[in-house]
């Protein structure tokens, strides 16, 4: 199941913004142009249950999240709804300032839900089934072992090339200048493993070759 951010869930920016507003600020965002998709907890729960009822086994379902929202606009709305005002150049006497703290390594400005033209419609207008290539466990296991060997040899480029072959849609993030190449290679390999490309050898999963969308804090 793939979808964006669930408002008020664990890791959501909403409780974080609420606490920062209650403390008098500042409210922190990573970048003023960051956008994310949102839905409410009841809405997400209902769609997940309905998608589960359609499953035959092994499918990947995508939820239509509507239009993306700028995180900074969400912050401004929450400040306004709290009865306070944003302090900025146009309103120097406002109550709460919004600060940009910078994107984290590998963080995207825009979230991709991967709903493409070749996705299949379902009985529900907001749920589609993805068409995706499958990667067998033996091929995956060998590639993961090669990635680990590259990391042990401090061979960043070979590790990245192995990851790129695993996931054709993968695009390598730009390494920040202050992060050493070896540490960046470990980060990339670990991030990919967290996406679902690692697993216990006592299981034989079929892994989707198209890059997965991680749930972002929202």
């Amino acid at each position: 199941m793939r979808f964006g951010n669930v408002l008020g869930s664990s890791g959501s920016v909403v409780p974080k913004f609420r606490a920062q507003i209650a403390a008098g600020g500042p409210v922190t965002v990573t970048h003023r142009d960051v956008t994310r998709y949102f839905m409410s907890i009841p809405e997400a729960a209902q769609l997940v249950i309905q998608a589960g009822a359609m499953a035959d086994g092994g499918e990947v379902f995508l939820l239509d999240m509507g239009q993306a929202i700028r995180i900074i606009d969400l912050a401004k709305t929450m400040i306004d709804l709290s009865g306070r005002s944003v302090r900025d150049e146009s309103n120097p006497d406002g109550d709460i300032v919004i600060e940009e703290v910078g994107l984290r390594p590998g963080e995207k400005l825009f979230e991709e839900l991967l709903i493409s033209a070749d996705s299949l419609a379902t009985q529900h207008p907001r749920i589609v089934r993805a068409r995706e290539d499958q990667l067998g466990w033996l091929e995956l296991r060998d590639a993961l072992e090669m990635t680990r060997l590259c990391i042990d040899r401090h061979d960043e480029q070979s590790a990245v090339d192995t990851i790129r072959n695993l996931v054709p849609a993968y695009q390598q993030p730009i390494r920040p200048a202050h992060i050493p190449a070896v540490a960046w290679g470990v980060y990339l390999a670990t991030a990919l493993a967290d996406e679902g490309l690692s697993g216990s050898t006592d299981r034989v999963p079929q892994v989707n070759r198209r890059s997965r969308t991680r749930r972002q804090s929202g």
Side-chain angles (χ1 to χ4, degrees), residues 22-188:
V27 172
T28 58
V29 298
T30 57
H31 192 285
R32 67 183 306 102
D33 294 326
V34 165
T35 62
R36 294 292 182 264
Y37 294 91
F38 293 96
M39 66 169 51
S40 67
I41 292 177
E43 186 179 24
Q46 291 171 13
L47 288 174
V48 168
I49 291 172
Q50 292 180 66
M54 301 176 192
D56 295 321
E59 302 96 330
V60 175
F61 291 102
L62 311 171
L63 305 186
D64 181 1
M65 300 288 295
Q67 296 297 317
I69 298 173
R70 288 206 312 165
I71 298 297
I72 195 169
D73 290 340
L74 174 62
K76 291 177 179 178
T77 299
M78 290 187 64
I79 292 172
D80 290 340
L81 291 175
S82 72
R84 304 185 186 185
S85 60
V86 177
R87 185 166 73 245
D88 54 22
E89 292 182 357
S90 63
N91 185 25
D93 297 324
D95 303 306
I96 296 177
V97 65
I98 297 177
E99 290 185 356
E100 293 183 58
V101 297
L103 294 171
R104 295 180 291 271
E107 183 179 6
K108 296 181 178 180
L109 284 175
F110 310 107
E111 190 173 31
E112 301 172 88
L113 294 182
L114 304 180
I115 298 180
S116 59
D118 60 351
S119 298
L120 300 173
T122 68
Q123 302 95 310
H124 197 289
R126 295 189 59 192
I127 302 174
V128 298
R129 182 182 287 106
R131 288 180 184 268
E132 297 194 330
D133 297 330
Q134 300 294 316
L135 182 66
W137 170 243
L138 295 179
E139 184 181 356
L140 172 63
R141 183 190 62 187
D142 292 343
L144 288 176
E145 181 60 27
M146 178 59 69
T147 302
R148 295 188 183 99
L149 291 175
C150 293
I151 292 172
D152 291 341
R153 295 196 303 264
H154 297 175
D155 187 350
E156 175 192 8
Q157 190 56 53
S158 293
V160 171
D161 289 342
T162 302
I163 294 172
R164 186 178 291 112
N165 291 333
L166 275 177
V167 187
Y170 170 75
Q171 296 182 356
Q172 180 182 358
I174 298 175
R175 174 170 63 88
H178 66 282
I179 298 181
V182 173
W184 186 243
V186 172
Y187 166 79
L188 292 177

